[in-house]
Amino acid sequence: NTVNLGRLLRTSILQPLTDLIEINERQEAIQLLLEKESELQLLRDALQKIPDVDKFISKLIRKENFLDPKSGDELIHNTLQLKSIFSSLRVIERVIKENFMNSPCIAFLVDIIQNSRLEDIEICISDLINEDITYCNVKSNLQHHQRLQAVKSTKNSLLEVSRRTLKETQSDIYEYVEDWTTQIDLVV
């Protein structure tokens, strides 16, 4: 049900396995997955949260993302999405380690997930992004608020000042609206 799996299916159809050992390993892996329904569902759920990887990477490396002064929101959005991807990869890794390490066809994924470069990126994200902020795919005020609060204030002392200023300004506006609605008997 994902774009990534669609590409894999297309490749499998256009370039089918011809080695009998690989075919048998794949069939054993499929049988093992089908025997463990709840674990398979955990893998499906985690995979559903991972976007089209090719498209996502090309979006990350576009030059315009770094030249446009308005791109800060987009960069934080992408970083939060990457954090979510890593979270899904950790679920996949755990499920495979606990249930499917006896299948070489499935177990090789753990080696891919445990790549040191991926771990370095994940560490950089955890150093930069507040741990309680998660990716929100729905365009809303919540998504905007998450981007505002995503970066740890320890990275820049002015960030905390600007957050306090924003909060105070919002509070002042709210009080101002409350005063006016009371004075003119307006229901908001």
Side-chain angles (χ1 to χ4, degrees), residues 169-183:
T169 303
Q170 288 172 333
S171 178
D172 290 346
I173 291 171
Y174 181 76
E175 288 177 22
Y176 184 73
V177 168
E178 285 288 311
D179 288 347
W180 271 98
T181 56
T182 305
Q183 288 179 13

Side-chain angles (χ1 to χ4, degrees), residues 49-179:
K49 294 176 184 173
I50 297 176
D52 179 349
V53 175
D54 293 340
K55 190 175 178 182
F56 181 71
I57 290 173
S58 68
K59 182 172 75 167
L60 283 178
I61 61 174
R62 265 187 299 192
K63 193 174 172 181
E64 308 87 57
N65 284 344
F66 301 99
L67 299 177
D68 183 2
K70 297 176 187 173
S71 67
D73 269 359
E74 185 68 20
L75 289 172
I76 291 173
H77 176 81
N78 292 341
T79 304
L80 290 174
Q81 189 171 14
L82 194 54
K83 179 182 173 189
S84 173
I85 290 169
F86 281 121
S87 176
S88 293
L89 289 176
R90 294 296 154 234
V91 170
I92 293 167
E93 177 185 22
R94 181 183 52 78
V95 171
I96 291 173
K97 279 182 169 180
E98 291 174 1
N99 301 283
F100 302 109
M101 288 305 286
N102 58 342
S103 169
C105 204
I106 300 172
F108 87 96
L109 292 171
V110 172
D111 292 334
I112 294 170
I113 292 171
Q114 291 180 336
N115 181 306
S116 64
R117 287 179 280 180
L118 292 178
E119 289 174 1
D120 290 345
I121 294 169
E122 192 172 13
I123 289 168
C124 287
I125 290 173
S126 67
D127 286 347
L128 178 68
I129 302 294
N130 284 313
E131 62 188 45
D132 57 338
I133 302 293
T134 58
Y135 174 69
C136 175
N137 193 25
V138 180
K139 297 254 187 232
S140 67
N141 287 337
L142 175 63
Q143 188 182 52
H144 179 70
H145 176 73
Q146 285 178 315
R147 287 194 307 262
L148 286 174
Q149 300 298 323
V151 178
K152 290 180 179 178
S153 58
T154 56
K155 293 297 169 188
N156 185 336
S157 59
L158 290 177
L159 188 56
E160 189 58 36
V161 171
S162 68
R163 285 180 179 155
R164 272 196 224 129
T165 303
L166 175 65
K167 189 174 182 179
E168 290 170 5
T169 303
Q170 288 172 333
S171 178
D172 290 346
I173 291 171
Y174 181 76
E175 288 177 22
Y176 184 73
V177 168
E178 285 288 311
D179 288 347

